[in-house]
Amino acid sequence: MDALRRALGGLLALYALIFLSFALLHAGIAFGPVREPVIVPAAVVESLCAVATAAGAYGALAGRAWAWDGVIYAHAAALGGVLMGILALAFGDGGGAASALLNWYHSTMAVVLAAGLIGAFYVSRVRR
């Protein structure tokens, strides 16, 4: 279980960087040719997801007593943010920003966060 905790912690650190990158993109900062329209609510939600996943990564990688709870909460919070983004794009509230990159980003993050949440719940069930 220690290896899974470290693996999920490393993935959460990676997710934090991805969320931070997309928060910067939605704040209007371009990475070379990659640009996204400025969407302030998306930048705020992605920043919060970055903070949540970074906190979960810290707990998991530092071996804190709250590590498993942090992993679960980080995955759940980030998944909630991604689902809000999916709904915003589906209902046309994304400022006309339904690009292929955003669709890929939301669907990929939803799948990996759900898988991580399932793994964390499994471990929390087995640990007892």
Side-chain angles (χ1 to χ4, degrees):
M1 281 190 255
D2 198 44
L4 182 59
R5 178 184 52 81
R6 284 193 310 267
L8 287 174
L11 286 172
L12 281 171
L14 176 64
Y15 302 156
L17 291 174
I18 293 169
F19 280 121
L20 182 61
S21 298
F22 274 88
L24 291 173
L25 282 171
H26 281 123
I29 298 171
F31 295 117
V34 180
R35 300 184 192 300
E36 287 295 327
V38 175
I39 306 171
V40 176
V44 170
V45 170
E46 287 162 343
S47 297
L48 292 173
C49 290
V51 169
T53 53
Y58 167 73
L61 295 174
R64 300 290 183 213
W66 50 268
W68 283 112
D69 289 338
V71 167
I72 289 172
Y73 296 146
H75 276 89
L79 182 58
V82 169
L83 293 177
M84 282 193 333
I86 290 171
L87 287 174
L89 289 174
F91 289 115
D93 216 14
S99 67
L101 176 63
L102 282 183
N103 288 333
W104 175 83
Y105 160 69
H106 283 106
S107 60
T108 302
M109 290 304 288
V111 169
V112 297
L113 288 168
L117 186 61
I118 290 168
F121 272 131
Y122 170 74
V123 169
S124 70
R125 186 87 168 140
V126 170
R127 284 186 314 132
R128 295 177 192 220

